[in-house]
Amino acid sequence: MRHAIEGLNLKALRAFVLVCETKSMGEAARVLGVTTSAISQLIGALEQDQGVPLFDRRFRPARLNAAGATLFEQAESLLTHAQAVSRSVRAALDDEGLPLRIGAPGSVCSALGPDLVTALGQGFHDITFHTGESTDLADRVHGRAIDLAICASPPPESRHLRADRLFSEIFVMAVPRARANGQPFRDLCSVVERFPLLRYGSRVELGAQIERYTAHIGLMAPRRYEFDLSEPLLTMVANGAGCAITTPLCLWQARQCLDELSLIHLPRSRYGLREFVLVSRQDEADQARRACLALPVNDMLSGLASRLRERLPHFPEQPFG
């Protein structure tokens, strides 16, 4: 029997842990951004290195055997230590600080990205931003593909992840300024009677959040056009095709349209907030986590609100919390 723990492939070990946690090679492949075949090859290479099978393949899906269970019990501490060693080695010869991989939705990168890079650049170098949906970003933190993620909703409860609250933003309704003509509306139903409600796609996290909110306040409107991104959605509104429920960060993401939009305030509701959290792995990247939590986010948001208020009539007084 070969014993090769000294040559343990950390990439293969990470794949093994994800397969054990998700109970699916396909899901592990999605988190790591590789093919299922690549995961299968990594597991095979890990078994070859250790000289023993790690799964009982008489079952479907395959189950951990005794050797696999032993490796799984110790794998987390091995990966955590390897991550810490890697970060220390990379920082040892660099006087400018540690590298940092951080993920965030596109709206956060667009509105706050420059401020975040400037503030974090004082303690970190080689900062890379990754954009995506919050669920995917949390999975990437889980799989150690990135160090931290700013997510628009807390991840599912996990012993490996922690979520620290950052801020929230309200929902607002955007209408075409040229067609609104400053006329008051009786209620939201009269708005969607005049302007068809354009939506974020239901597959998009923000779209699902807005759907819950509109159902809660009783705003019913036919489904017509749906968009996955803020820019095309709000461009359609600016061109008079309808109205849309969006957020301040998304408005800034489509800021080329601001001069053609007006806003309508929406009823406050516990479903009417988009909550942002900082997601990190338990007991990992603590320095980066503390640095992010210490950032003057309220000042950044206040500056953004001022820029939006200069260009948008009726912009809310307290858009962030």
Side-chain angles (χ1 to χ4, degrees):
M1 181 184 297
R2 292 175 59 221
H3 295 280
I5 191 67
E6 67 276 6
L8 196 62
N9 184 316
L10 294 176
K11 185 175 181 180
L13 186 63
R14 185 181 304 153
F16 169 74
V17 168
L18 283 172
V19 170
C20 294
E21 291 177 342
T22 63
K23 296 180 173 56
S24 165
M25 285 196 179
E27 184 64 13
R30 186 187 68 80
V31 172
L32 291 178
V34 299
T35 64
T36 303
S37 175
I39 294 293
S40 179
Q41 291 173 16
L42 287 169
I43 297 298
L46 186 61
E47 291 180 318
Q48 185 175 0
D49 284 344
Q50 299 311 301
V52 294
L54 301 171
F55 291 92
D56 188 336
R57 292 176 172 83
R58 294 174 299 176
F59 299 93
R60 289 292 182 270
R63 301 177 184 176
L64 286 175
N65 59 20
T70 298
L71 180 60
F72 182 51
E73 286 176 4
Q74 301 181 48
E76 273 299 320
S77 59
L78 283 170
L79 288 171
T80 299
H81 180 66
Q83 177 100 348
V85 169
S86 177
R87 289 178 65 84
S88 298
V89 168
R90 282 181 288 166
L93 297 180
D94 197 317
D95 295 332
E96 297 179 7
L98 295 166
L100 177 62
R101 303 165 300 169
I102 185 168
S107 58
V108 174
C109 290
S110 177
L112 302 180
D115 289 337
L116 290 172
V117 168
T118 299
L120 290 171
Q122 300 174 16
F124 298 87
H125 78 99
D126 193 21
I127 300 173
T128 55
F129 268 90
H130 304 254
T131 61
E133 289 287 296
S134 295
T135 301
D136 291 336
L137 292 172
D139 284 344
R140 298 189 73 184
V141 174
H142 186 192
R144 294 186 173 87
I146 57 178
D147 301 308
L148 304 168
I150 299 173
C151 296
S153 60
E157 192 169 329
S158 166
R159 65 187 178 90
H160 301 298
L161 298 179
R162 65 184 302 165
D164 297 286
R165 186 184 184 278
L166 289 174
F167 65 93
S168 64
E169 63 174 341
I170 64 173
F171 294 140
V172 294
M173 179 175 280
V175 298
R177 189 180 302 187
R179 292 187 58 193
N181 295 324
Q183 297 180 8
F185 295 94
R186 297 187 313 276
D187 50 36
L188 292 178
C189 291
S190 65
V191 178
V192 297
E193 285 175 3
R194 182 171 177 185
F195 303 112
L197 182 61
L198 312 181
R199 290 175 161 89
Y200 289 93
S202 56
R203 297 175 304 169
V204 179
E205 184 176 44
L206 178 57
Q209 291 172 337
I210 291 174
E211 287 299 308
R212 287 194 295 271
Y213 171 68
T214 55
H216 182 68
I217 65 174
L219 180 61
M220 312 299 286
R223 304 194 77 86
R224 294 188 63 178
Y225 305 115
E226 296 187 0
F227 301 85
D228 289 346
L229 300 173
S230 295
E231 289 94 332
L233 172 67
L234 293 172
T235 297
M236 290 286 285
V237 175
N239 288 333
C243 64
I245 295 176
T246 186
T247 74
L249 292 183
C250 293
L251 284 167
W252 188 254
Q253 193 175 14
R255 53 191 173 276
Q256 72 276 7
C257 304
L258 293 181
D259 295 335
E260 307 300 326
L261 299 175
S262 289
L263 296 184
I264 294 174
H265 293 201
L266 295 172
R268 295 298 176 103
S269 157
R270 60 192 178 97
Y271 294 104
L273 292 175
R274 192 182 183 206
E275 296 277 357
F276 288 88
V277 296
L278 182 69
V279 176
S280 59
R281 286 188 63 92
Q282 294 279 7
D283 302 321
E284 293 185 26
D286 281 342
Q287 182 177 343
R289 171 180 165 270
R290 291 194 300 270
C292 286
L293 293 176
L295 291 174
V297 174
N298 288 338
D299 293 341
M300 297 178 190
L301 293 172
S302 178
L304 175 63
S306 296
R307 295 193 293 273
L308 285 166
R309 196 167 289 116
E310 289 173 358
R311 298 181 59 184
L312 281 168
H314 314 300
F315 188 76
E317 285 299 319
Q318 295 181 318
F320 303 109

